Structures are given as structure tokens and as C-alpha cells.
Amino acid sequence: MPHQITDDRPAADPPARGRRTTGYRRLFALPGTRAFTAGNLLARLPMGMFSVSAVVMIAGARGSYALAGAVTATGLAATALAGPWIARLVDRHGQARIAVPATLVSVLGSLALLLCVRYAAPDWTLFAAYAATAATPNVGGLSRARWAHVLRDDPGALHTANAFEQAADELCFMLGPVLASFLTGALFPEAGTLAGAVLLLSGMLLFTARRATEPPPRARSKAPSPLRAPGILPLLACCTATGAVFGSMEVVTIAYADAQGHRAAAGAVLALQAAGSCAAGLGYGALKPAGLGLTRCLAVMAALMTLPWLSAVLTGSLPVLAGALLVAGMATAPTMVTAMTLVQRRTPADRLNEGMSLMVTGLLTGIACGTATGGWAAEHLSPTAAFTTPAAAACLALLIRTTAGDGRHGS
């Protein structure tokens, strides 16, 4: 049972006699996994495109970054509210029955935003249109739920699958903004939003077409809310603090590069952080180091997040900062892999999508708070001093974990 695990380390592999290979080749040798992964990656790539595309499109047409930022923030808040509700419907009725119509609503919202910007509709229509994109299902959560179903008897392989999924997240959030920037600059301002909508819909249709790997729906679950599962609330708090690390690091790095006169290089510098996380996630999944639980992952992240601040204080060099971000990023994927594995083990099986969506909501909330805090620090202190913000958020995540533990009485 998922609630009977008493520590934060990955579950032990099966005995040697029945052990199966748990490398990435083993995962994609399973029937249907390549097809649903291909569809999932196509549908996930727009997650890194939509906000950049919306900002460029709105700011270019209306001449206001404040309006563009407010519209994207509204979409983020709506996503945080709608995500768990959509995930609950997915658990109850199945991925294909809910994810496809929800994706259609999201795509229509993106197209409505494009038309409202194109034809100079009132500002309030931008907020309404972009809020509709909150119907986008948690694509990564859908894929993790499929792996949990396919590999339900093989915890070692599930760990590897979770690591791959985290690396895929990092890759999509690394490539998405680059693709969006290229399309909006090389073609026309609406090109990023249009391409994102096409990729999302086509990827979701391909993903949901693989019905053999879809977890069975469980109507009217009698299981308690994932929030009542032992250890979930502390994990949610840790995810929120970790999201603050991501949000603050992004805005502070942009501010620092701008102060150095190299704002255009900020995207490449941040891409190195994502690249470090992607590589570490793949390595973590392949090697499965023993004894590296969530507490130790958070401790490593807290230590490595001081490197960008130290590089800014001691050198003032953007290339050195880029190297520091590459190393610091290596702590994030193992942390998220371990946290998501714990969520899978402690959430009732018939509410798994809802449980993972709650963690995504926590991350989004943390990213929003981190972005605001990092922006305030960069403006009122200095871009260099503002690098203490992600380090402080990482320390807060570690503090939550060490003080709250698993959230279990007597443990």
C-alpha cells in the first residue's frame, strides 16, 4: 500500500531472482510506451512556449509589458485553480474522455487570445481568453500516471521513468521559449501562439490514442482527498518553496544580465540551468544512487543554489554565472524526481492524477511568489544581492522538510 512507506528513499528493487532491467531501453521496449511518449512530448513542448509567445504578442501589439505580464499571471492563477479539478475528472472518467475536450477548450482560448490581440479587442477580452487556457491538462502528470500503471509491479523501473519525465520537463521548458522566440521573431508575432496550439492538440490526440497504456477510470473514488494522505501536505509545502527557487532564479538572472548590458543572453544562460537539470535527471534515473532521499536532495539543492550568488559577488562575470547555473541546475531534477515518486507512493491509486496536479499547483504558486519576490529584490536591493532569493527559498524547502518530516505523528 502506498501509505506504509516510512522514509523518503526510493523503494528497493525487487529481489535479484526476479529483477528486470530498469534502463531507459527497457522502458521503451514496452508496448505502446514510445507512442504515448512521443505524443506527450509534442503536447508538453507548448508549456514552455505559451507565456513567452503571449508576452511578445501582447506587448508588441499594445506596447505594454505590464498588461502582458498581468494577462499571463491571470492564466497562471487560473491554471493553479483548475488543475486539481481537471485531474480529478481524469481519475474518475479516464484520460481520453477528459483530456481531449479540455485540450480543445485550451486551444480555443489560445486562438481567441490571438484574434483579440490581432483585431484590437478590449483589454478585458485578453484576460478572459487567456484564462481559458487553464483547461490544459497536466500533461506531465498524465504521462507519469501511465508509467505508474504500466510499471505498477516494478518500482525500480518506475524510478527510471520518473527521472525521464523530469528530464523531459526540463527539456521542454528549455526548448519551448527558444522556439517561441524564434517563431515570433522570424515569422509574425502570433506565430508562437499558433504553433503552440497546433502542437498541443496534435500531441494530445496522439497521446490519448494509445488506449492500451491508459490507467482505467475509477468512478466515484471512496479514497480520501490526496491532501489527507500522510506526508502529502509537507510535500506540497516543499514543492511550493522549490517553485519559488525556479521563479526567483529566472527573474533575477534576467535582471542581472540586463544590468550587465547583455539582456539578450539571459535566455541562453537560463537554458544552461535547464540543461544541467535535464542531464542530472537522466543520470539519476539510470544510476539510482542508494540512500539519496528527499531531505538529502533538498540539502544539496540549498548548497548549490548559493553558487550563482557567489559567482555574481566574487566575479561579476556573466559566463561564470552561466557555469554556476549549470552546476546549480543539477540539483533540481533529482529533487523533483524524488518528490514526485513519494507523491505516487502515498496518493491513493484512483486519485493519482489529482495528487500530482496538486504538486504542480504548489510549484506554480511558488513560481509566482518567487518571481514577485525576486523582482522586488532585484529592483530595491541589487541584481547581485537578489541572487540570495533563490538560495533562501531552497533553504526554506529544506527547513520545511526537516521540521515537518513526513507529516506523520510519532515519526
Side-chain angles (χ1 to χ4, degrees), residues 152-204:
R152 55 192 176 276
D153 298 323
D154 194 346
L158 181 58
H159 168 86
T160 305
N162 283 335
F164 171 80
E165 289 298 319
Q166 189 61 38
D169 279 340
E170 301 293 347
L171 183 65
C172 291
F173 278 100
M174 179 173 61
L175 297 179
V178 175
L179 178 59
S181 298
F182 170 76
L183 291 173
T184 55
L187 299 179
F188 48 92
E190 298 86 358
T193 298
L194 185 60
V198 172
L199 286 171
L200 175 60
L201 181 57
S202 58
M204 187 59 73

Short mmCIF file of all heavy atoms in Angstrom, two decimals, residues 152-204:
data_model
loop_
_atom_site.label_atom_id
_atom_site.label_comp_id
_atom_site.label_asym_id
_atom_site.label_seq_id
_atom_site.Cartn_x
_atom_site.Cartn_y
_atom_site.Cartn_z
N ARG A 152 3.47 -0.82 -12.46
CA ARG A 152 2.98 -0.92 -11.08
C ARG A 152 3.65 -2.05 -10.29
O ARG A 152 3.68 -2.00 -9.06
CB ARG A 152 1.46 -1.12 -11.07
CG ARG A 152 0.97 -2.31 -11.88
CD ARG A 152 -0.55 -2.25 -12.07
NE ARG A 152 -1.05 -3.33 -12.91
CZ ARG A 152 -1.05 -3.28 -14.25
NH1 ARG A 152 -0.56 -2.23 -14.87
NH2 ARG A 152 -1.54 -4.30 -14.95
N ASP A 153 4.21 -3.04 -10.96
CA ASP A 153 4.87 -4.15 -10.27
C ASP A 153 6.40 -4.06 -10.35
O ASP A 153 7.09 -5.02 -10.02
CB ASP A 153 4.42 -5.49 -10.86
CG ASP A 153 2.92 -5.71 -10.68
OD1 ASP A 153 2.40 -5.32 -9.63
OD2 ASP A 153 2.29 -6.26 -11.62
N ASP A 154 6.91 -2.92 -10.80
CA ASP A 154 8.36 -2.78 -11.00
C ASP A 154 8.82 -1.41 -10.49
O ASP A 154 9.01 -0.47 -11.28
CB ASP A 154 8.68 -2.94 -12.48
CG ASP A 154 10.17 -3.16 -12.74
OD1 ASP A 154 10.96 -2.91 -11.81
OD2 ASP A 154 10.53 -3.56 -13.86
N PRO A 155 8.98 -1.21 -9.17
CA PRO A 155 9.33 0.10 -8.62
C PRO A 155 10.66 0.63 -9.12
O PRO A 155 10.84 1.84 -9.22
CB PRO A 155 9.35 -0.14 -7.11
CG PRO A 155 9.52 -1.62 -6.94
CD PRO A 155 8.83 -2.23 -8.12
N GLY A 156 11.62 -0.24 -9.41
CA GLY A 156 12.90 0.23 -9.92
C GLY A 156 12.75 0.90 -11.27
O GLY A 156 13.31 1.97 -11.52
N ALA A 157 11.98 0.28 -12.16
CA ALA A 157 11.74 0.87 -13.48
C ALA A 157 10.90 2.14 -13.36
O ALA A 157 11.08 3.08 -14.14
CB ALA A 157 11.03 -0.14 -14.38
N LEU A 158 10.00 2.21 -12.39
CA LEU A 158 9.18 3.41 -12.20
C LEU A 158 10.05 4.59 -11.80
O LEU A 158 9.83 5.72 -12.24
CB LEU A 158 8.10 3.15 -11.14
CG LEU A 158 7.16 4.32 -10.86
CD1 LEU A 158 6.44 4.76 -12.13
CD2 LEU A 158 6.14 3.94 -9.79
N HIS A 159 11.07 4.34 -10.98
CA HIS A 159 12.00 5.40 -10.62
C HIS A 159 12.68 5.95 -11.87
O HIS A 159 12.81 7.17 -12.06
CB HIS A 159 13.05 4.87 -9.64
CG HIS A 159 14.21 5.80 -9.42
ND1 HIS A 159 14.18 6.81 -8.49
CD2 HIS A 159 15.42 5.87 -10.04
CE1 HIS A 159 15.33 7.46 -8.54
NE2 HIS A 159 16.10 6.91 -9.46
N THR A 160 13.12 5.07 -12.77
CA THR A 160 13.77 5.49 -14.00
C THR A 160 12.79 6.28 -14.87
O THR A 160 13.16 7.29 -15.48
CB THR A 160 14.28 4.26 -14.76
OG1 THR A 160 15.14 3.50 -13.91
CG2 THR A 160 15.06 4.66 -16.00
N ALA A 161 11.54 5.83 -14.94
CA ALA A 161 10.54 6.53 -15.73
C ALA A 161 10.29 7.93 -15.18
O ALA A 161 10.14 8.90 -15.94
CB ALA A 161 9.24 5.73 -15.75
N ASN A 162 10.21 8.06 -13.86
CA ASN A 162 10.02 9.38 -13.25
C ASN A 162 11.18 10.31 -13.56
O ASN A 162 11.00 11.52 -13.77
CB ASN A 162 9.84 9.24 -11.74
CG ASN A 162 8.46 8.76 -11.37
OD1 ASN A 162 7.50 8.95 -12.11
ND2 ASN A 162 8.34 8.12 -10.21
N ALA A 163 12.39 9.75 -13.55
CA ALA A 163 13.56 10.56 -13.90
C ALA A 163 13.49 11.03 -15.34
O ALA A 163 13.82 12.19 -15.66
CB ALA A 163 14.84 9.76 -13.64
N PHE A 164 13.08 10.14 -16.23
CA PHE A 164 12.93 10.53 -17.63
C PHE A 164 11.89 11.64 -17.77
O PHE A 164 12.10 12.61 -18.53
CB PHE A 164 12.52 9.33 -18.48
CG PHE A 164 12.13 9.70 -19.88
CD1 PHE A 164 13.10 9.94 -20.83
CD2 PHE A 164 10.79 9.84 -20.22
CE1 PHE A 164 12.74 10.31 -22.12
CE2 PHE A 164 10.44 10.21 -21.51
CZ PHE A 164 11.40 10.45 -22.46
N GLU A 165 10.78 11.51 -17.07
CA GLU A 165 9.73 12.52 -17.16
C GLU A 165 10.22 13.89 -16.67
O GLU A 165 9.90 14.92 -17.26
CB GLU A 165 8.51 12.09 -16.36
CG GLU A 165 7.74 10.94 -16.97
CD GLU A 165 7.17 11.28 -18.33
OE1 GLU A 165 6.68 12.42 -18.50
OE2 GLU A 165 7.23 10.43 -19.22
N GLN A 166 11.00 13.91 -15.60
CA GLN A 166 11.52 15.17 -15.11
C GLN A 166 12.50 15.78 -16.11
O GLN A 166 12.50 16.99 -16.34
CB GLN A 166 12.20 14.99 -13.75
CG GLN A 166 12.59 16.29 -13.06
CD GLN A 166 11.39 17.18 -12.78
OE1 GLN A 166 10.32 16.71 -12.42
NE2 GLN A 166 11.56 18.48 -12.96
N ALA A 167 13.34 14.93 -16.70
CA ALA A 167 14.26 15.41 -17.73
C ALA A 167 13.49 15.96 -18.93
O ALA A 167 13.88 16.97 -19.53
CB ALA A 167 15.20 14.29 -18.16
N ALA A 168 12.38 15.30 -19.28
CA ALA A 168 11.55 15.79 -20.38
C ALA A 168 10.95 17.15 -20.05
O ALA A 168 10.86 18.03 -20.92
CB ALA A 168 10.44 14.77 -20.69
N ASP A 169 10.51 17.33 -18.79
CA ASP A 169 10.02 18.65 -18.36
C ASP A 169 11.08 19.72 -18.60
O ASP A 169 10.80 20.79 -19.15
CB ASP A 169 9.65 18.62 -16.88
CG ASP A 169 8.28 18.02 -16.63
OD1 ASP A 169 7.47 17.98 -17.58
OD2 ASP A 169 8.01 17.61 -15.49
N GLU A 170 12.29 19.44 -18.13
CA GLU A 170 13.37 20.41 -18.26
C GLU A 170 13.68 20.69 -19.73
O GLU A 170 13.91 21.84 -20.13
CB GLU A 170 14.63 19.91 -17.55
CG GLU A 170 14.45 19.63 -16.07
CD GLU A 170 14.20 20.89 -15.26
OE1 GLU A 170 14.42 22.00 -15.79
OE2 GLU A 170 13.78 20.77 -14.10
N LEU A 171 13.69 19.64 -20.56
CA LEU A 171 13.99 19.82 -21.97
C LEU A 171 12.95 20.68 -22.66
O LEU A 171 13.29 21.58 -23.44
CB LEU A 171 14.06 18.44 -22.65
CG LEU A 171 14.43 18.44 -24.14
CD1 LEU A 171 15.85 18.96 -24.33
CD2 LEU A 171 14.31 17.03 -24.71
N CYS A 172 11.67 20.44 -22.34
CA CYS A 172 10.60 21.21 -22.97
C CYS A 172 10.61 22.67 -22.51
O CYS A 172 10.37 23.58 -23.31
CB CYS A 172 9.24 20.57 -22.68
SG CYS A 172 9.00 18.99 -23.51
N PHE A 173 10.90 22.90 -21.24
CA PHE A 173 10.96 24.28 -20.76
C PHE A 173 12.25 24.97 -21.19
O PHE A 173 12.36 26.18 -21.08
CB PHE A 173 10.81 24.31 -19.24
CG PHE A 173 9.37 24.25 -18.80
CD1 PHE A 173 8.82 23.06 -18.36
CD2 PHE A 173 8.57 25.37 -18.85
CE1 PHE A 173 7.49 22.99 -17.98
CE2 PHE A 173 7.24 25.32 -18.47
CZ PHE A 173 6.69 24.13 -18.04
N MET A 174 13.22 24.20 -21.67
CA MET A 174 14.44 24.78 -22.23
C MET A 174 14.23 25.13 -23.70
O MET A 174 14.61 26.20 -24.16
CB MET A 174 15.59 23.80 -22.07
CG MET A 174 16.92 24.29 -22.63
SD MET A 174 18.29 23.17 -22.21
CE MET A 174 17.75 21.66 -23.01
N LEU A 175 13.60 24.22 -24.46
CA LEU A 175 13.43 24.43 -25.89
C LEU A 175 12.21 25.29 -26.22
O LEU A 175 12.21 26.01 -27.23
CB LEU A 175 13.28 23.08 -26.60
CG LEU A 175 14.49 22.14 -26.53
CD1 LEU A 175 14.18 20.84 -27.28
CD2 LEU A 175 15.72 22.79 -27.12
N GLY A 176 11.17 25.22 -25.38
CA GLY A 176 9.93 25.95 -25.67
C GLY A 176 10.14 27.45 -25.85
O GLY A 176 9.73 28.02 -26.88
N PRO A 177 10.76 28.15 -24.88
CA PRO A 177 10.97 29.59 -25.05
C PRO A 177 11.84 29.92 -26.25
O PRO A 177 11.62 30.93 -26.92
CB PRO A 177 11.65 29.99 -23.74
CG PRO A 177 11.23 28.96 -22.75
CD PRO A 177 11.14 27.69 -23.53
N VAL A 178 12.83 29.07 -26.54
CA VAL A 178 13.70 29.32 -27.71
C VAL A 178 12.89 29.23 -28.99
O VAL A 178 12.99 30.08 -29.88
CB VAL A 178 14.86 28.32 -27.72
CG1 VAL A 178 15.70 28.49 -28.99
CG2 VAL A 178 15.74 28.50 -26.50
N LEU A 179 12.05 28.17 -29.10
CA LEU A 179 11.22 28.01 -30.28
C LEU A 179 10.22 29.15 -30.42
O LEU A 179 10.01 29.69 -31.52
CB LEU A 179 10.48 26.67 -30.21
CG LEU A 179 9.53 26.35 -31.36
CD1 LEU A 179 10.27 26.34 -32.69
CD2 LEU A 179 8.84 25.00 -31.13
N ALA A 180 9.61 29.54 -29.29
CA ALA A 180 8.64 30.64 -29.33
C ALA A 180 9.30 31.95 -29.76
O ALA A 180 8.75 32.69 -30.59
CB ALA A 180 8.00 30.81 -27.95
N SER A 181 10.47 32.23 -29.22
CA SER A 181 11.18 33.46 -29.59
C SER A 181 11.55 33.45 -31.07
O SER A 181 11.44 34.48 -31.76
CB SER A 181 12.44 33.61 -28.74
OG SER A 181 12.12 33.71 -27.37
N PHE A 182 11.99 32.29 -31.58
CA PHE A 182 12.35 32.20 -32.99
C PHE A 182 11.12 32.44 -33.88
O PHE A 182 11.18 33.21 -34.85
CB PHE A 182 12.95 30.83 -33.28
CG PHE A 182 13.14 30.57 -34.75
CD1 PHE A 182 14.19 31.16 -35.44
CD2 PHE A 182 12.27 29.74 -35.43
CE1 PHE A 182 14.35 30.93 -36.81
CE2 PHE A 182 12.43 29.51 -36.79
CZ PHE A 182 13.48 30.10 -37.48
N LEU A 183 10.01 31.78 -33.56
CA LEU A 183 8.82 31.89 -34.40
C LEU A 183 8.26 33.31 -34.40
O LEU A 183 7.90 33.85 -35.45
CB LEU A 183 7.75 30.90 -33.94
CG LEU A 183 8.06 29.42 -34.17
CD1 LEU A 183 6.99 28.55 -33.51
CD2 LEU A 183 8.15 29.11 -35.65
N THR A 184 8.18 33.92 -33.22
CA THR A 184 7.62 35.27 -33.14
C THR A 184 8.52 36.30 -33.80
O THR A 184 8.05 37.33 -34.30
CB THR A 184 7.38 35.67 -31.68
OG1 THR A 184 8.60 35.53 -30.94
CG2 THR A 184 6.30 34.81 -31.05
N GLY A 185 9.85 36.03 -33.81
CA GLY A 185 10.77 36.98 -34.43
C GLY A 185 10.94 36.76 -35.92
O GLY A 185 11.00 37.71 -36.70
N ALA A 186 11.01 35.49 -36.34
CA ALA A 186 11.28 35.20 -37.74
C ALA A 186 10.04 35.25 -38.61
O ALA A 186 10.13 35.55 -39.82
CB ALA A 186 11.92 33.82 -37.86
N LEU A 187 8.86 34.97 -38.04
CA LEU A 187 7.64 34.95 -38.84
C LEU A 187 6.76 36.16 -38.50
O LEU A 187 6.92 37.22 -39.07
CB LEU A 187 6.89 33.63 -38.60
CG LEU A 187 7.68 32.36 -39.00
CD1 LEU A 187 6.86 31.10 -38.69
CD2 LEU A 187 8.08 32.40 -40.46
N PHE A 188 5.86 36.01 -37.55
CA PHE A 188 4.97 37.10 -37.15
C PHE A 188 4.64 36.93 -35.67
O PHE A 188 4.81 35.83 -35.12
CB PHE A 188 3.69 37.12 -38.00
CG PHE A 188 3.01 35.79 -38.13
CD1 PHE A 188 2.02 35.39 -37.24
CD2 PHE A 188 3.37 34.92 -39.15
CE1 PHE A 188 1.41 34.16 -37.36
CE2 PHE A 188 2.75 33.68 -39.29
CZ PHE A 188 1.77 33.31 -38.39
N PRO A 189 4.21 37.98 -34.97
CA PRO A 189 4.06 37.91 -33.51
C PRO A 189 3.14 36.81 -33.01
O PRO A 189 3.33 36.29 -31.91
CB PRO A 189 3.50 39.30 -33.16
CG PRO A 189 3.97 40.18 -34.26
CD PRO A 189 3.97 39.33 -35.49
N GLU A 190 2.15 36.45 -33.80
CA GLU A 190 1.20 35.43 -33.37
C GLU A 190 1.67 34.00 -33.66
O GLU A 190 0.99 33.03 -33.30
CB GLU A 190 -0.16 35.64 -34.05
CG GLU A 190 -0.82 36.96 -33.72
CD GLU A 190 -0.37 38.10 -34.63
OE1 GLU A 190 0.51 37.83 -35.49
OE2 GLU A 190 -0.87 39.22 -34.48
N ALA A 191 2.82 33.85 -34.32
CA ALA A 191 3.26 32.53 -34.78
C ALA A 191 3.53 31.58 -33.61
O ALA A 191 3.24 30.38 -33.70
CB ALA A 191 4.52 32.66 -35.64
N GLY A 192 4.09 32.08 -32.52
CA GLY A 192 4.38 31.23 -31.38
C GLY A 192 3.13 30.65 -30.75
O GLY A 192 3.07 29.44 -30.45
N THR A 193 2.12 31.49 -30.58
CA THR A 193 0.85 31.02 -30.00
C THR A 193 0.16 30.03 -30.93
O THR A 193 -0.36 29.00 -30.49
CB THR A 193 -0.07 32.22 -29.73
OG1 THR A 193 0.55 33.09 -28.78
CG2 THR A 193 -1.42 31.76 -29.19
N LEU A 194 0.17 30.31 -32.22
CA LEU A 194 -0.48 29.42 -33.19
C LEU A 194 0.22 28.06 -33.24
O LEU A 194 -0.44 27.00 -33.20
CB LEU A 194 -0.47 30.07 -34.56
CG LEU A 194 -1.20 29.33 -35.68
CD1 LEU A 194 -2.68 29.16 -35.34
CD2 LEU A 194 -1.04 30.08 -37.00
N ALA A 195 1.55 28.07 -33.30
CA ALA A 195 2.29 26.81 -33.33
C ALA A 195 2.09 26.02 -32.05
O ALA A 195 1.95 24.78 -32.07
CB ALA A 195 3.77 27.08 -33.56
N GLY A 196 2.07 26.71 -30.91
CA GLY A 196 1.85 26.03 -29.63
C GLY A 196 0.50 25.34 -29.58
O GLY A 196 0.39 24.21 -29.08
N ALA A 197 -0.53 26.01 -30.09
CA ALA A 197 -1.87 25.42 -30.09
C ALA A 197 -1.91 24.17 -30.96
O ALA A 197 -2.50 23.16 -30.59
CB ALA A 197 -2.89 26.45 -30.57
N VAL A 198 -1.27 24.22 -32.13
CA VAL A 198 -1.25 23.06 -33.03
C VAL A 198 -0.50 21.89 -32.39
O VAL A 198 -0.94 20.74 -32.44
CB VAL A 198 -0.62 23.45 -34.38
CG1 VAL A 198 -0.41 22.21 -35.25
CG2 VAL A 198 -1.49 24.46 -35.11
N LEU A 199 0.65 22.18 -31.79
CA LEU A 199 1.44 21.12 -31.15
C LEU A 199 0.68 20.50 -29.98
O LEU A 199 0.70 19.27 -29.80
CB LEU A 199 2.77 21.69 -30.66
CG LEU A 199 3.82 22.00 -31.73
CD1 LEU A 199 4.99 22.76 -31.11
CD2 LEU A 199 4.31 20.72 -32.39
N LEU A 200 0.02 21.33 -29.18
CA LEU A 200 -0.71 20.82 -28.02
C LEU A 200 -1.82 19.88 -28.45
O LEU A 200 -1.95 18.76 -27.91
CB LEU A 200 -1.28 21.99 -27.22
CG LEU A 200 -2.17 21.62 -26.03
CD1 LEU A 200 -1.41 20.79 -25.01
CD2 LEU A 200 -2.75 22.89 -25.37
N LEU A 201 -2.62 20.29 -29.43
CA LEU A 201 -3.75 19.47 -29.85
C LEU A 201 -3.29 18.18 -30.53
O LEU A 201 -3.78 17.09 -30.21
CB LEU A 201 -4.66 20.27 -30.78
CG LEU A 201 -5.91 19.54 -31.28
CD1 LEU A 201 -6.77 19.06 -30.11
CD2 LEU A 201 -6.72 20.44 -32.21
N SER A 202 -2.35 18.28 -31.45
CA SER A 202 -1.89 17.09 -32.16
C SER A 202 -1.19 16.12 -31.20
O SER A 202 -1.39 14.90 -31.29
CB SER A 202 -0.96 17.47 -33.31
OG SER A 202 0.15 18.21 -32.84
N GLY A 203 -0.38 16.66 -30.28
CA GLY A 203 0.29 15.80 -29.33
C GLY A 203 -0.68 15.09 -28.40
O GLY A 203 -0.52 13.90 -28.10
N MET A 204 -1.71 15.81 -27.95
CA MET A 204 -2.69 15.20 -27.04
C MET A 204 -3.50 14.12 -27.76
O MET A 204 -3.82 13.07 -27.17
CB MET A 204 -3.62 16.27 -26.47
CG MET A 204 -4.56 15.75 -25.39
SD MET A 204 -3.69 15.05 -23.97
CE MET A 204 -3.06 16.55 -23.21
#
